[in-house]
Amino acid sequence: MEGNTSAMNDLKSYPSVQKWIENVNRYYDLSDEEWDSRIQTLADFCRSEEKDPDTVIAEALADRGEKVDFIRRLKRFVKTQTSNPRVGHDLENIVRSFFIHNGARVVTRPYRADT
Amino acid sequence: MDFLEVVGSRRSIRIFKPWEQVEKEKIQRILEVVRLTTCPGNLQPWRAIVVERDKLSKEDRETLLACDNYQGAHVNAPVWIYWFADVEGSTADTFRTRVHDLVDLGALPTFYGWTHETIDSAIVKGETAPEGMPAIHSLIHGLPREAAEAVARQETVGACAVAVLAAVNEGLGTCLHMAASAEKTPDLHTVLNAPEGWVPVWCQLVGYPAESPDGGGQRPRLPFETLYYDGTYGKPFARDSKVVEELEEEKLIQEQMPKPGRFEELKHLARMLGFPL
């Protein structure tokens, strides 16, 4: 696993995660329970990538192609977590939100991307 | 809706109901309003191409979205009206033709000096226009293409302001968006088959608002006294509080944002529409 993995058990210690929480809470003030669940999803995704959150963001910011690949792999990762499309979309959005609030812009659509 | 309420209720709406289509008649009514809007010399250099998002092929839709950097509201809105400035619509020759017509129709009075002869001598020959007429010899004679483009753009921007109010009057949400970045403009022309001399000005997004139509309140505006002066700069135009009260009653002046609950609303909209929070 790339990056500082010793702190993977405490995702909140990563600057990218702190920035994410701070930015979102500035406007939306999510509950602690909601954050626990969001952070768990991010941690699972990072584990599947074998990278810590800061490394994920650094690579996504450095290379647009890499960012697109992350999102492609995110879709595959989500399919391993649930077969419910709505739940899957929500899980994807958690990681998308993490990207957005760290400056790695990702696109979402109100229609299916393949139509 | 009354005029003042239309102006006071206008917001840049950025969150639309993506599933609710806009009636074609309402789009036509917007276009009809713009057709009659004010314009110097009756030039009318604006043109529009109306695009329904869900009728586009996937390729064309993605190309158009890429032109303005996939802005969220653009992705979300069901109707995109691309407003263009037609440079040919603002040339000296077009101006000459139009003002000839205005003289013949009695819109430009001859007793102010407007005749075919005075117009031609000023615009074609560059001779000084008689007193009573604008100095069209210096404004229009020998008008370079870049200046014609600037005129076409500025008049199209004015038309877009009216288009926005017309949409509000129809009970629609609307917002003006960048149509295309400079490097993507050729893509926009290709997809829309727009003539070469048409310069993209704004993409007007139209749809039914998913967010509250008041958009969380009126946007903060600069203080009246810092915008308007009485007779000379430095002497602010006095703002009568009684007039302000009247305008509040007439719904021109409404509650400013952020109204309570705005971010709660955004949170729920993001969840409902599937956007990441």
Side-chain angles (χ1 to χ4, degrees):
Chain A
M1 191 178 287
E2 291 176 48
N4 173 16
T5 57
S6 60
M8 277 291 279
N9 290 332
D10 182 13
L11 237 64
K12 287 182 183 174
S13 66
Y14 288 91
S16 60
V17 177
Q18 287 165 3
K19 188 175 177 183
W20 179 38
I21 296 170
E22 236 174 72
N23 277 358
V24 173
N25 274 355
R26 185 179 306 156
Y27 305 110
Y28 303 112
D29 197 24
L30 303 185
S31 66
D32 289 346
E33 293 74 26
E34 192 159 353
W35 274 116
D36 287 347
S37 152
R38 285 161 78 95
I39 286 167
Q40 186 58 54
T41 301
L42 179 64
D44 293 343
F45 174 66
C46 288
R47 266 187 213 102
S48 76
E49 288 291 315
E50 299 187 335
K51 288 172 180 153
D52 69 62
D54 288 356
T55 305
V56 168
I57 288 301
E59 290 182 2
L61 288 175
D63 180 354
R64 187 180 177 278
E66 187 57 34
K67 182 178 73 178
V68 172
D69 285 343
F70 273 126
I71 298 301
R72 282 203 191 105
R73 291 196 295 272
L74 170 64
K75 286 174 184 293
R76 286 204 293 270
F77 159 77
V78 161
K79 280 183 181 152
T80 68
Q81 305 294 301
T82 178
S83 58
N84 181 322
R86 176 71 216 206
V87 174
H89 188 72
D90 288 348
L91 292 177
E92 274 182 37
N93 272 348
I94 289 169
V95 180
R96 280 202 180 95
S97 167
F98 171 69
F99 274 73
I100 289 170
H101 287 282
N102 277 286
R105 188 173 172 277
V106 291
V107 173
T108 52
R109 299 280 196 279
Y111 43 79
R112 280 174 46 196
D114 57 348
T115 58
Chain B
M1 218 188 288
D2 285 341
F3 174 72
L4 292 178
E5 189 176 351
V6 169
V7 176
S9 302
R10 186 210 59 77
R11 306 284 186 278
S12 289
I13 292 294
R14 296 186 174 84
I15 310 168
F16 299 92
K17 294 175 183 170
W19 62 86
E20 192 165 349
Q21 299 305 311
V22 177
E23 300 88 334
K24 207 107 182 173
E25 308 83 68
K26 290 197 172 186
I27 299 298
Q28 182 185 342
R29 286 168 66 93
I30 295 169
L31 302 174
E32 298 272 9
V33 168
V34 175
R35 183 168 160 266
L36 295 178
T37 197
T38 181
C39 185
N42 205 20
L43 287 171
Q44 310 158 67
W46 53 80
R47 308 287 181 264
I49 298 178
V50 179
V51 173
E52 291 175 75
R53 184 197 60 201
D54 295 345
K55 290 188 179 168
L56 290 167
S57 68
K58 182 188 173 191
E59 291 71 28
D60 286 350
R61 186 184 67 210
E62 294 303 304
T63 302
L64 290 176
L65 288 172
C67 284
D68 90 334
N69 202 27
Y70 297 95
Q71 288 193 68
H74 196 167
V75 171
N76 191 238
V79 176
W80 309 338
I81 305 178
Y82 284 94
W83 290 100
F84 292 87
D86 180 4
V87 181
E88 286 307 312
S90 287
T91 60
D93 210 38
T94 305
F95 188 89
R96 178 176 161 268
T97 306
R98 294 272 196 276
V99 288
H100 273 204
D101 291 345
L102 291 176
V103 171
D104 293 343
L105 292 166
L108 293 173
T110 53
F111 52 77
Y112 284 167
W114 291 98
T115 66
H116 285 215
E117 291 70 29
T118 54
I119 291 163
D120 288 353
S121 63
I123 293 179
V124 181
K125 298 176 191 161
E127 291 171 7
T128 305
E131 284 183 16
M133 283 173 65
I136 53 175
H137 56 282
S138 72
L139 285 171
I140 311 294
H141 173 67
L143 189 74
R145 190 176 170 79
E146 304 80 59
E149 182 179 324
V151 171
R153 277 178 183 272
Q154 79 184 21
E155 296 313 314
T156 303
V157 168
C160 287
V162 175
V164 161
L165 295 177
V168 174
N169 192 51
E170 295 301 323
L172 297 163
T174 191
C175 184
L176 294 176
H177 260 50
M178 181 180 185
S181 56
E183 72 275 14
K184 295 281 176 63
T185 298
D187 294 346
L188 183 76
H189 273 87
T190 302
V191 171
L192 300 180
N193 196 26
E196 202 182 324
W198 288 20
V199 181
V201 174
W202 285 114
C203 174
Q204 182 183 9
L205 308 178
V206 182
Y208 285 96
E211 61 182 303
S212 159
D214 79 1
Q218 278 187 335
R219 281 39 171 167
R221 295 288 160 157
L222 295 170
F224 185 90
E225 297 76 11
T226 65
L227 296 173
Y228 308 119
Y229 298 91
D230 194 351
T232 180
Y233 174 74
K235 183 184 172 199
F237 191 99
R239 195 179 195 203
D240 185 338
S241 58
K242 249 171 77 179
V243 174
V244 172
E245 276 171 32
E246 282 168 16
L247 294 173
E248 284 171 351
E249 275 170 32
E250 292 172 272
K251 298 182 182 166
L252 174 76
I253 300 172
Q254 301 178 13
E255 191 179 344
Q256 266 202 20
M257 72 185 319
K259 286 170 77 173
R262 172 62 173 172
F263 285 100
E264 196 62 20
E265 180 190 18
L266 291 175
K267 190 156 85 174
H268 282 86
L269 284 169
R271 284 178 177 150
M272 179 177 81
L273 295 169
F275 287 106
L277 196 63

